[in-house]
Amino acid sequence: MQRIEAIDEYNRAQRLGMRDYREKTAAGKYPYLPALDELLEKTDTESQIPLGTIEIPLDYVVGTKTTGRTMAFASNFMPLLPEDTEFASKWLSLCMAHMEEGIHDAIKAYEYMGRFYVQEGNKRVSVLKYFGADSIFATVTRVVPRFSDTPEIREYYEFMEYYPLCGLYRLHFTQEGSFARLQKALGKAPDEKWTADDKAEVVSLMNWITKAYNAHGGDKMRTTPADVMLLLLRLYKLDELKTYSPAQFAAAIDAVWDNVLALERPEPVKLSTQPAAPAKKNSLLDRILPGIRSEPSHLKVAFVNERTPETSTWTSQHEFGRTQLDQVFAGKVETVAYHGAEPGKNADELVEKAIQDGANMVFTTSPKLVGASLRAALRHPDVRILNCSVDMPYASIRTYYSRVYEAKFITGAIAAAVAREDRVGYVADTPTFGVPANINAFALGARMVNPRVKVSLQWSCLPGDPIQAFQKQGITVISGRDTPTPFRPAREFGTFRISPGGTLMDLASPFWHWGQFYENVVRTVLDGGWTRDKSGTDGTAVNYWWGMNSGVMDVLLSRELPHDVRHLANILRSGIIAGSIDPFACYITAQNGTVMNEGRTGFTPEQILHMDWLCDAVEGHLPEFDELMDCARPMYRMQGIHRDRLPAEKEADL
């Protein structure tokens, strides 16, 4: 390169710098490079650690170490000084050297919070950034901030923990635990170091994802390309992604875009507590364009079940609900069921078969099928797919469950009214979302009838027989499992009483009216209410969490229940449906003595769903993952109240 050519390059670089300077000034932002020394004046640091000479991404070089050369560069590292300065002359020499033989000398830089600040070599960085170089070698000293509980510091400390394994600075996540999840997604042990091939594969993957993500506007979002890569690795196999072309990456980003937007939101899940109102008809647009309708005139609805009706009461209940659709929407809705969907085996194939068979709406009736549901939603964005689970932050599908705590409140009151002693028993299945609320609501209902009552809590997910434990305590009134369970006495579910002779007498039981639920959901599609729930387009994941006022949850009362107790149960039921009774709108103290509610108002739906404490009327605890029997752990991985605390190797695979 001739000097006159280098001068032309400098002038172009200077124009880029002046443009950036004017834009920053007009926006009221600092127009020069930030200086690390000034940043650290207001920051507590722990130590400085030499990292040696390493290759660093130029995109992550953002400033200078000192203020000496700050104003010679715009904030994009392009030069600002005139062509006739000594600074410009040195820039020109470096420009010519780069074009002739490349810049090989390492710069000196300090790293702070994952970004680099140059001590020696600012002009080398400027030249390489101008020519679009990807990286530069640098002798780096890391400045470690003092630990605090802020998300940014916690995430950075997690990066420092995993940097010795991966050796990459390009991996910047916004969610805690992501490095461990990436290790798992790559098939590596928690402490396994990456090979050179591992690094090259991930860098290549990151480059393609970054280009596709930025083309969607990702460079203006808080969510990072590494976040998106991890999302893709949860939904696609690594070997599959490694074969993708640029067009396929663009299509993959487009397919998961709703879920990327969900990552942007601090609270990505919106609880829908009752069915959406029907869309208004006879609007002006309807009269002008009567043929334009978003609601279909016919639906084929598929149900994909993990088990069969013969082996699972849960599945048989959903099957009963499916048949209600055939009766209520005869001629408009056609239903079909697929059984035996096993995650990791044939679940994806069965969901895909349902869609290939013509289903334009699919219900998957187990939380374990959420992965198959998501992957199908990516392949078929026009198909409405719902998974029976709660608090799943994926906007490309919808999830659903019922507010069981309302029914538990009533059965708690029944239990205390029938019990001859001040103790009743409660059998809980697994500590998943909503289960602590069920336990607390039961206890509050019982205490409303008998202020002295104590609820003895046992878990079916722990070793031992809960019923035998209650009998040893002299407890005769018990809230058992919510549905009949194979290999258990048929009457050991719902709330029941054990007579002195050992006979079980039914009292009451929560009842999922799945037929009414599915009818409500399908009706929202047929009348246009579905779109009014607004999911996906803004990153909101809609979770239907309907209750007794929607007809999807109820309490079955035994004929043997005393008339006065039945009358009490009906009063509570009517009050909950009307909204005049809120189980949690009372003074509540937790087991540790903390006042959880003064009683002036109730809790929000989100607070109820995410309860992870027990009220002081309950004797027992909420077990953690490691306490559970093996058979209960898969459900906890998906829906456990503390699933976010699980190490990556114990997290659920989608």
Side-chain angles (χ1 to χ4, degrees):
M1 172 182 278
Q2 301 297 317
R3 186 173 182 82
I4 191 163
E5 294 174 308
I7 291 173
D8 288 339
E9 300 292 357
Y10 183 83
N11 288 332
R12 292 191 190 98
Q14 188 189 40
R15 286 195 292 272
L16 292 174
M18 292 303 298
R19 181 192 303 167
D20 183 79
Y21 175 88
R22 289 191 295 269
E23 289 175 354
K24 294 294 191 300
T25 302
K29 299 179 180 179
Y30 187 66
Y32 304 109
L33 291 175
L36 179 60
D37 287 347
E38 291 184 342
L39 294 176
L40 295 180
E41 287 177 1
K42 305 174 183 177
T43 305
D44 292 331
T45 60
E46 193 74 37
S47 61
Q48 294 189 5
I49 303 174
L51 299 182
T53 301
I54 59 176
E55 188 175 7
I56 63 175
L58 276 165
D59 287 347
Y60 287 38
V61 181
V62 298
T64 63
K65 170 64 167 62
T66 65
T67 58
R69 279 295 185 187
T70 295
M71 295 185 183
F73 301 93
S75 64
N76 62 355
F77 252 103
M78 293 301 102
L80 293 174
L81 299 182
E83 176 191 326
D84 58 358
T85 61
E86 180 184 1
F87 171 91
S89 178
K90 292 180 178 179
W91 198 99
L92 293 172
S93 298
L94 284 169
C95 176
M96 290 186 289
H98 173 65
M99 296 305 293
E100 291 171 4
E101 57 185 25
I103 294 176
H104 302 293
D105 292 339
I107 65 172
K108 290 184 179 180
Y110 282 76
E111 180 258 303
Y112 175 70
M113 295 293 288
R115 296 297 181 265
F116 298 91
Y117 300 83
V118 182
Q119 183 179 33
E120 294 179 13
N122 288 295
K123 288 183 285 295
R124 276 171 274 172
V125 170
S126 178
V127 169
L128 289 174
K129 277 181 173 276
Y130 170 71
F131 282 105
D134 186 61
S135 61
I136 189 172
F137 279 93
T139 302
V140 177
T141 300
R142 173 181 289 160
V143 180
V144 180
R146 184 160 295 168
F147 182 80
S148 70
D149 211 29
T150 62
E152 296 80 9
I153 296 295
R154 292 179 65 89
E155 289 161 11
Y156 181 70
Y157 266 71
E158 184 178 310
F159 162 76
M160 289 194 295
E161 178 185 352
Y162 278 90
Y163 178 77
L165 300 181
C166 65
L168 292 178
Y169 264 95
R170 297 179 184 276
L171 299 175
H172 174 57
F173 297 101
T174 62
Q175 295 185 327
E176 201 170 341
S178 293
F179 280 99
R181 294 185 187 102
L182 180 59
Q183 282 281 105
K184 180 181 179 182
L186 296 176
K188 296 195 165 297
D191 58 352
E192 183 179 351
K193 281 192 174 184
W194 294 20
T195 66
D197 288 342
D198 294 331
K199 295 178 185 179
E201 285 181 353
V202 171
V203 168
S204 175
L205 194 59
M206 276 283 293
N207 286 339
W208 288 116
I209 289 173
T210 300
K211 290 177 182 177
Y213 182 46
N214 288 345
H216 278 72
D219 54 336
K220 300 178 178 64
M221 297 171 65
R222 182 184 65 88
T223 301
T224 68
D227 290 327
V228 177
M229 178 179 69
L230 188 55
L231 175 62
L232 290 173
L233 284 171
R234 295 204 74 190
L235 296 170
Y236 300 95
K237 294 180 180 178
L238 175 61
D239 289 341
E240 179 183 358
L241 288 175
K242 288 192 296 189
T243 66
Y244 273 21
S245 67
Q248 287 174 308
F249 273 114
I253 298 293
D254 190 56
V256 302
W257 191 248
D258 292 345
N259 302 306
V260 172
L261 292 177
L263 294 175
E264 287 282 293
R265 301 174 65 91
E267 299 293 338
V269 181
K270 168 192 170 186
L271 288 178
S272 167
T273 56
Q274 59 186 21
K280 292 182 179 179
K281 303 298 181 182
N282 300 319
S283 67
L284 178 61
L285 183 61
D286 289 335
R287 292 195 295 272
I288 296 173
L289 300 171
I292 304 299
R293 289 285 189 277
S294 60
E295 55 268 30
S297 58
H298 182 272
L299 281 176
K300 183 170 184 179
V301 183
F303 288 76
V304 180
N305 303 303
E306 184 182 0
R307 299 181 183 177
T308 67
E310 293 75 26
T311 59
S312 166
T313 306
W314 179 260
T315 300
S316 67
Q317 290 177 338
H318 287 275
E319 272 293 274
F320 186 78
R322 178 181 69 83
T323 60
Q324 181 167 326
L325 293 181
D326 293 324
Q327 297 170 6
V328 173
F329 299 106
K332 284 189 173 183
V333 174
E334 172 191 356
T335 70
V336 62
Y338 301 82
H339 305 305
E342 294 187 53
K345 294 184 179 179
N346 66 336
D348 286 73
E349 289 76 8
L350 276 182
V351 177
E352 181 66 25
K353 181 176 183 350
I355 295 172
Q356 293 302 324
D357 289 347
N360 44 23
M361 189 170 194
V362 179
F363 292 97
T364 56
T365 62
S366 166
K368 299 176 189 176
L369 299 177
V370 68
S373 305
L374 279 167
R375 285 183 285 272
L378 302 184
R379 295 189 298 268
H380 307 283
D382 295 332
V383 177
R384 297 172 175 87
I385 300 178
L386 301 93
N387 174 251
C388 189
S389 59
V390 293
D391 203 59
M392 293 291 191
Y394 305 110
S396 54
I397 63 173
R398 297 189 186 184
T399 54
Y400 63 97
Y401 201 63
S402 302
R403 298 198 297 271
V404 184
Y405 74 87
E406 295 174 342
K408 290 291 189 178
F409 177 73
I410 298 173
T411 60
I414 292 171
V418 172
R420 296 184 177 91
E421 54 278 327
D422 292 337
R423 291 169 64 80
V424 295
Y426 189 106
V427 181
D429 289 330
T430 310
T432 53
F433 291 119
V435 168
N438 299 344
I439 299 167
N440 287 333
F442 179 89
L444 293 171
R447 194 165 60 181
M448 180 185 65
V449 173
N450 178 1
R452 301 177 304 280
V453 76
K454 289 291 183 179
V455 176
S456 177
L457 174 63
Q458 297 287 330
W459 293 88
S460 63
C461 59
L462 300 180
D465 188 317
I467 304 302
Q468 290 183 5
F470 291 138
Q471 290 176 326
K472 289 180 181 179
Q473 298 175 50
I475 293 174
T476 59
V477 176
I478 299 166
S479 173
R481 296 169 176 83
D482 294 325
T483 58
T485 305
F487 314 115
R488 297 294 304 183
R491 302 186 75 180
E492 268 189 23
F493 74 97
T495 300
F496 57 89
R497 184 169 64 189
I498 304 176
S499 69
T503 304
L504 272 60
M505 183 183 80
D506 293 330
L507 299 174
S509 178
F511 177 69
W512 281 266
H513 197 337
W514 288 118
Q516 187 62 52
F517 176 85
Y518 290 126
E519 179 184 334
N520 289 348
V521 175
V522 169
R523 199 176 298 281
T524 67
V525 175
L526 295 174
D527 66 17
W530 171 277
T531 56
R532 290 156 57 80
D533 280 320
K534 194 180 181 184
S535 67
T537 55
D538 65 347
T540 302
V542 169
N543 181 182
Y544 295 131
W545 202 42
W546 297 343
M548 296 178 70
N549 62 353
S550 302
V552 304
M553 196 75 217
D554 209 338
V555 178
L556 297 181
L557 303 179
S558 169
R559 295 177 181 176
E560 302 174 59
L561 200 65
H563 292 293
D564 291 343
V565 179
R566 176 184 293 274
H567 183 54
L568 170 63
N570 285 329
I571 290 174
L572 296 178
R573 179 180 180 276
S574 298
I576 289 174
I577 292 173
S580 59
I581 293 179
D582 180 343
F584 296 110
C586 59
Y587 191 88
I588 305 174
T589 305
Q591 287 178 328
N592 63 5
T594 302
V595 176
M596 306 305 294
N597 192 5
E598 294 283 355
R600 289 185 288 271
T601 62
F603 295 125
T604 65
E606 289 75 16
Q607 289 173 321
I608 295 171
L609 183 64
H610 293 102
M611 275 185 187
D612 61 354
W613 51 270
L614 297 173
C615 73
D616 59 359
V618 179
E619 296 175 340
H621 77 294
L622 297 172
E624 296 293 342
F625 177 83
D626 289 338
E627 298 178 63
L628 307 181
M629 293 189 295
D630 290 344
C631 59
R633 290 182 174 183
M635 182 61 75
Y636 190 94
R637 289 187 177 103
M638 281 288 180
Q639 301 275 256
I641 54 173
H642 294 153
R643 68 181 179 191
D644 292 339
R645 299 182 189 176
L646 291 177
E649 62 270 18
K650 294 181 180 179
E651 286 185 342
D653 293 321
L654 292 180

